[in-house]
Amino acid sequence: SDGECQEGQTWEALMFASSKKLTNLTVIIDRNRIQIDGSTDEIAPGLEPLAQKLQAFGWETLSIDGNDVSDIIEALGQSKKKHNKPLAIIANTTPGKGVSFMEDDYLWHGKAPTKAEGQQAKQELTTALASL
């Protein structure tokens, strides 16, 4: 996730994969812009421009809407094609997408809903899916 991209060992692994020419490697980065304590921009700004940083580390990049299943499937199809570099798929997501009281709220990052909240979330998601 983007929170882990604030850690040195993540960038060391990215450099290692590129230097070893691991062209059959694909990673998906959940770019949800939150972590347990708040937004990634507030806690440790400087992650952007993420795609360009990954490219500088020797990766091909692809940015998608990570809340759109068809975008994910298409990106994974792209990952099966021959690449000259490892591929990083940046999945831009909205945490809690579709659940009114959870959506884009970092406080839900490490907290389970109560039974009633879980039922409400299920109902909201079921209603949203039915309208598609």
Side-chain angles (χ1 to χ4, degrees):
S1 75
D2 45 13
E4 280 73 29
C5 286
Q6 297 170 340
E7 300 175 1
Q9 67 266 29
T10 297
W11 293 99
E12 291 170 13
L14 291 166
M15 284 191 298
F16 177 84
S18 176
S19 71
K20 298 301 179 188
K21 302 189 182 343
L22 301 181
T23 59
N24 64 339
L25 177 65
T26 299
V27 299
I28 300 174
I29 299 172
D30 179 16
R31 184 67 173 114
N32 60 21
R33 294 177 166 67
I34 66 165
Q35 57 191 60
I36 200 90
D37 295 330
S39 78
T40 54
D41 290 338
E42 291 172 356
I43 304 302
L47 194 53
E48 290 299 333
L50 182 57
Q52 289 87 341
K53 288 180 181 179
L54 291 164
Q55 291 162 4
F57 272 65
W59 285 67
E60 291 185 34
T61 61
L62 187 61
S63 292
I64 65 167
D65 177 352
N67 292 113
D68 184 331
V69 174
S70 62
D71 273 13
I72 296 168
I73 292 169
E74 185 177 327
L76 291 173
Q78 291 277 341
S79 75
K80 293 180 181 180
K81 295 180 181 177
K82 178 124 175 81
H83 295 277
N84 295 323
K85 302 175 181 181
L87 174 65
I89 299 170
I90 302 170
N92 295 289
T93 61
T94 301
K97 178 91 172 159
V99 179
S100 63
F101 60 93
M102 289 182 175
E103 191 166 313
D104 215 17
D105 184 350
Y106 79 90
L107 294 173
W108 286 97
H109 189 64
K111 176 175 129 177
T114 65
K115 186 172 183 173
E117 290 166 336
Q119 289 172 340
Q120 180 183 345
K122 183 179 177 181
Q123 181 58 47
E124 289 182 21
L125 293 170
T126 300
T127 301
L129 285 172
S131 68
L132 293 178

